Amino acid sequence: MIRILHKLSRAGLCAVLAASVLTGCATGGFGVPGSQSERRAEMLADQGRHEEAASLYIGLASDATGGERDRLTLLAIEQWLDARDGRRARSAMAEVPIPAGDDLRRLWNTNRAAIELWEGNPDGALNILEPMSREPLPAATHARVEALRGDAWFQKDDPLRAIDIYTRREQSLADDQIVRNRQRLWAGLLVSDARVLRSASQVARNPVSRGWLALGALAASTGQQGIAWSNGVARWQEAHAEHPATSILGELQMPDAGMLEYPRQIALLLPLSGRNAAAGQAVQNGFLGAYYGTAAELGDTQAVRVYDVVEAGDARAAYAQAVGDGAEFVVGPLLRPSVNDLAGEPILPVPILTLNYLQEHLPVPPGMYQFALAPEDEAVAAAQRAIADGRVRGLALVPNNDWGRRLLESFTTEFEALGGTLLEYRFYQPTDQDFSFEIQNLMGLSLSVQRYERLRANIGGPLQFDPRRREDAEFVFLAATAPVGRLLKSQLKFHYSGDLPVYSTSRIYAMDGRSNADLNGVMFADTPWIIAPQPWIAELPSLYNEFWPAERRLGRLHAMGYDAYLLVGELYGARPGRLVLVNGATGRLYLDEIGRVHRQLPWAEFRSGAPVALPDHRQPSEPGDVGDFPDDDQPEPIDPWMPPTEGR
C-alpha cells in the first residue's frame, strides 16, 4: 500500500517526492563506463537498489581524479536522491563544481534542483528546471526534468499543473516507466492538502485530471482506511471507468467490505438547544465536516438529517421521528440520560451509534453501538504508557469524587494486570488550594519529619534537616483538571517530588489560553485531533478554530463527531466479529463484545508550557469495560457522571 504514515512538512514532502527519482531516468549515459564495477552500479540502479549503487559510485569516485571523479560523484548523488538520502546528497554536491560539459552540467542541474526540492524550495528548483524543459534534451534527462517539475508544482500547491506535467510525461515513457510515473503522481497527491485538491477538481476541465484530484481528495479525507475509503473508491470507479489511476488502486490493500455498503440516510440526534447546545453543535460540526470531506465530494446521494433531542421532547421521540423519516442509521444522542432512555425500547428497528455509554446495569438492545470519550480509556492508556516506559512501581493522586475513583480503579486494574504495583494512593479535595497534607503522606514526607522530630528531641537541639521522599516510587498517576493540576504539580515540586515522572489524562489540558508552564514535564493521553492529527485531518483542527472560534475548547467534540461519521460506514457494513482497528481522530478505535467502541490514545508532554507529541510505544490491551462523556468539554459547569438532573 502506498501510504504516508505521518504528517509531512514541506521538507518531508521533498524527501518523499523530489528525492525519490524514478529508476532509469538518467543513470549513466555520460561516456563509456570505465569498469565492471560501474556497470554493476548501473544494474543496481535499474533494480531500484539505490543505496548500493550510490556506495559503488562514490567508491569509484574516491579512486578517480578530475572530471571523472566529478562524473562518478554526480551519479552517486543521483542515487542518494533516489534513496531519499538528501543530506548525504547535499553534502557531496557541495564538493562538485559546475561541470563544463553539457551532459554533466545537465546532471549537475537536475541534482541541484532535486536538492532544492528536498530543502523545501520549489521556486529555486523551478528556476533551474523551467529553462531546461524548453531545451532539446536526451530522453532520460527530459523525463527526469519533467518529474522534478511535477514534484515542484505539487509543493507549490498547484496539483492541477503537476498532474498535467505527469500526464504528458507518459507519452515518452515505456510501459514499466508509465507505472512508476503514476505511482509518483499518486505519492504527490497523498502529501497534498485535501482542500487544495477539492478546489482544483472544481476548476479542472480534463476528466483525467478531475479523476486524479477526486481520488486524491478521498484518500486525504479517509486516510485510505475503512469502509468510507472502500465505498468512496467504488463510487469513484463508477464515475471514472478506465481511468489511469485504476492501475494504482489495484496495488492498494482494499478493506474486505462489500461495495457501496453505506446507509442512504443518516439521522443525527443531538441537543441543539438548552444548556448543552454548544456541545451538540460542536459534535454536529465535526460530523458534517467528515461527511462533506468523504461522501459529498463524490456527488453521493447520501443524506444527513439532524434532529434536536430537546425540541423533540426526549431521545425516544427523536429516534422514532428519524426512523419514520426514513433513516437507515442513527447517530446519537449525546448525553447519558438520553442514551439510558433508549435502552428502554424493546426493539431498535434501525441500528444506532450512541455518543455516550449506557449505565452499567442496563441491558444493551440489539443494534445499539456505543461510542464515548471515556476517561477510563485514558486511565488505561496511562497504565500502559508507564509500563512501556519501564516504570513498574507507582503512586496515584486522584480527586475524591466519582470521576477520580473510577479512574483510579481503571488505572489500577490495568497497571497491575500488566505486572505493575501501585504502592499507594491518596484522594484530594478538588476545591482545596493546599494539598500539602495529601502529598506529604503520599510521598512519605510526614514519616521523615516525624523521624527528624524524634531525633531533635533526643539530641535536645536543632539539626540541619532536608526531608526525603520515599525512594521506591518511579512515577505518579495524577487525575486532575488543568487548574487543579497546575497547583498539584507545583506543590509536588515544592515537596521534593518534582523529579518524579507524572502521567495524567486529557483533562489536564484545558486549552483555556492560560500558561501551562507549571505543568512542564506532565505527560497526558489525548485525542490525535488535539495533539497529533493524522495527515488526512492535519489541517482540520486549525480550520475549525478559524470558522468556529467559540468552539476552540471543544476540539475533542469536533473529533468525536468526525469519528462518529467514519464509524457509521464501519458499523453499517460490519461483519460478524470485532471491528477492525480504525485510525480515527479521537484515537485508534476498536469494538468490544457488548458493542462499545474504545480508544487507544497518543501521548503528549508539556514542554515550555505547550504540549509536544511523544513517540507512540504503547502495548495495546484487550478491550475493557469503560465509561462515558468528559465533563471538561461541556459548555456548562456540570458533571455528566453525576446522577441526571432535570433537563439533562
Side-chain angles (χ1 to χ4, degrees):
M1 175 186 290
I2 302 173
R3 184 173 179 189
I4 306 303
L5 296 179
H6 53 86
K7 187 179 188 301
L8 294 170
S9 63
R10 284 301 181 194
L13 183 147
C14 303
V16 172
L17 294 179
S20 60
V21 181
L22 295 176
T23 303
C25 282
T27 301
F30 303 108
V32 179
S35 68
Q36 183 176 354
S37 295
E38 187 170 343
R39 289 191 293 272
R40 168 69 176 166
E42 287 189 18
M43 183 182 68
L44 291 171
D46 291 339
Q47 294 173 352
R49 297 161 66 180
H50 303 297
E51 278 285 357
E52 297 175 60
S55 296
L56 203 48
Y57 277 128
I58 203 64
L60 292 170
S62 66
D63 295 330
T65 59
E68 180 66 3
R69 179 189 59 200
D70 292 343
R71 180 182 74 87
L72 292 167
T73 301
L74 287 172
L75 291 173
I77 291 168
E78 182 184 43
Q79 292 306 305
W80 276 322
L81 289 167
D82 288 3
R84 304 179 184 180
D85 192 346
R87 290 182 177 83
R88 188 175 295 181
R90 180 174 59 186
S91 176
M93 194 73 180
E95 304 299 323
V96 182
I98 301 177
D102 288 343
D103 287 341
L104 283 184
R105 188 170 64 252
R106 290 174 184 137
L107 178 57
W108 191 95
N109 283 335
T110 53
N111 282 349
R112 180 67 257 171
I115 290 173
E116 291 284 353
L117 289 176
W118 186 83
E119 292 175 339
N121 183 17
D123 289 325
L126 288 172
N127 287 338
I128 298 170
L129 297 169
E130 292 294 347
M132 293 184 70
S133 70
R134 296 187 288 270
E135 297 175 7
L137 299 172
T141 304
H142 176 76
R144 180 175 170 85
V145 167
E146 293 304 286
L148 292 170
R149 286 180 65 221
D151 296 345
W153 287 111
F154 269 127
Q155 285 190 39
K156 286 176 67 66
D157 286 334
D158 193 343
L160 192 55
R161 187 176 301 195
I163 291 170
D164 180 62
I165 291 171
Y166 274 113
T167 301
R168 286 187 285 105
R169 185 175 182 269
E170 288 190 2
Q171 298 172 7
S172 58
L173 297 178
D175 289 345
D176 60 330
Q177 293 174 325
I178 288 174
V179 172
R180 294 196 292 270
N181 185 68
R182 293 173 182 175
Q183 291 171 340
R184 184 171 177 141
L185 192 165
W186 179 242
L189 291 170
L190 289 181
V191 294
S192 297
D193 187 293
R195 292 173 296 172
V196 171
L197 297 177
R198 294 190 194 101
S199 297
S201 68
Q202 294 173 0
V203 299
R205 296 183 179 181
N206 185 304
V208 172
S209 297
R210 283 200 305 271
W212 279 114
L213 292 164
L215 188 61
L218 177 68
S221 300
T222 64
Q224 301 178 78
Q225 62 172 351
I227 290 179
W229 162 244
S230 58
N231 285 342
V233 168
R235 297 193 295 275
W236 180 89
Q237 289 174 323
E238 289 180 353
H240 300 279
E242 308 299 325
H243 192 278
T246 302
S247 61
I248 294 293
L249 292 174
E251 299 174 3
L252 301 178
Q253 297 176 6
M254 302 298 292
D256 182 18
M259 305 300 275
L260 297 176
E261 287 191 356
Y262 62 97
R264 296 288 179 172
Q265 184 170 311
I266 302 171
L268 187 57
L269 314 184
L270 294 169
L272 298 176
S273 56
R275 66 188 308 186
N276 295 294
Q281 187 66 47
V283 173
Q284 176 183 270
N285 289 337
F287 189 92
L288 294 179
Y291 167 72
Y292 286 116
T294 54
E297 73 179 52
L298 297 173
D300 190 20
T301 58
Q302 186 183 72
V304 175
R305 301 187 68 168
V306 183
Y307 298 82
D308 185 352
V309 174
V310 178
E311 187 177 287
D314 57 37
R316 290 193 189 190
Y319 177 85
Q321 183 180 351
V323 172
D325 291 341
E328 297 178 1
F329 199 99
V330 176
V331 176
L334 181 62
L335 301 179
R336 171 176 272 193
S338 297
V339 176
N340 293 341
D341 186 36
L342 283 174
E345 289 288 325
I347 297 177
L348 293 174
V350 172
I352 184 171
L353 173 66
T354 66
L355 301 179
N356 214 313
Y357 289 155
L358 284 170
Q359 288 183 343
E360 300 295 330
H361 67 280
L362 294 177
V364 181
M368 176 181 280
Y369 302 98
Q370 304 165 62
F371 176 40
L373 301 185
E376 286 90 340
D377 282 344
E378 300 174 11
V380 167
Q384 295 171 348
R385 183 81 195 195
I387 292 293
D389 288 341
R391 298 178 176 121
V392 297
R393 296 185 300 276
L395 305 171
L397 192 55
V398 302
N400 190 16
N401 56 25
D402 180 61
W403 178 74
R405 286 186 288 272
R406 287 164 52 199
L407 262 65
L408 177 62
E409 180 181 357
S410 296
F411 173 83
T412 304
T413 300
E414 181 71 8
F415 187 58
E416 293 181 348
L418 294 174
T421 301
L422 185 64
L423 300 171
E424 200 163 352
Y425 64 87
R426 286 291 185 274
F427 292 112
Y428 66 86
Q429 292 298 329
T431 55
D432 289 347
Q433 297 291 309
D434 185 355
F435 305 100
S436 298
F437 179 79
E438 292 84 357
I439 293 174
Q440 288 176 359
N441 279 277
L442 182 65
M443 296 299 168
L445 291 169
S446 57
L447 295 177
S448 180
V449 172
Q450 290 171 12
R451 288 193 297 270
Y452 164 72
E453 294 293 346
R454 288 196 301 269
L455 185 59
R456 180 181 179 183
N458 291 334
I459 294 177
L463 298 170
Q464 184 178 352
F465 171 66
D466 291 319
R468 292 185 179 181
R469 68 165 176 84
R470 60 191 305 160
E471 297 180 354
D472 54 350
E474 297 175 318
F475 71 92
V476 177
F477 172 61
L478 175 64
T481 61
V484 177
R486 294 178 183 119
L487 292 173
L488 282 165
K489 184 61 168 65
S490 297
Q491 292 178 33
L492 281 168
K493 183 177 181 181
F494 178 80
H495 289 291
Y496 309 96
S497 305
D499 60 325
L500 277 177
V502 176
Y503 298 90
S504 191
T505 69
S506 66
R507 292 187 67 194
I508 203 75
Y509 182 36
M511 298 179 289
D512 55 6
R514 293 183 55 189
S515 172
N516 290 303
D518 288 339
L519 293 171
N520 283 344
V522 173
M523 296 169 282
F524 65 98
D526 209 331
T527 64
W529 184 283
I530 299 298
I531 60 174
Q534 301 94 327
W536 54 94
I537 62 168
E539 306 298 331
L540 292 183
S542 59
L543 186 66
Y544 274 58
N545 290 340
E546 176 184 347
F547 281 94
W548 296 288
E551 298 179 3
R552 184 177 298 271
R553 294 185 61 190
L554 303 180
R556 297 179 184 96
L557 296 183
H558 292 152
M560 185 184 201
Y562 190 94
D563 278 357
Y565 179 78
L566 298 184
L567 286 168
V568 168
E570 299 294 331
L571 298 172
Y572 186 78
R575 299 291 188 271
R578 300 163 69 86
L579 180 72
V580 175
L581 200 67
V582 175
N583 193 1
T586 60
R588 299 166 67 201
L589 310 176
Y590 61 92
L591 194 68
D592 71 12
E593 64 279 357
I594 62 171
R596 285 184 171 183
V597 178
H598 300 289
R599 303 175 297 142
Q600 297 172 352
L601 298 162
W603 279 80
E605 180 180 354
F606 286 109
R607 298 175 184 171
S608 300
V612 176
L614 294 174
D616 183 4
H617 57 228
R618 292 172 293 103
Q619 296 295 323
S621 65
E622 290 299 314
D625 189 20
V626 293
D628 43 325
F629 185 76
D631 59 346
D632 62 326
D633 286 327
Q634 292 279 5
E636 297 285 339
I638 56 178
D639 187 347
W641 297 292
M642 298 299 289
T645 58
E646 185 175 354
R648 293 191 62 216

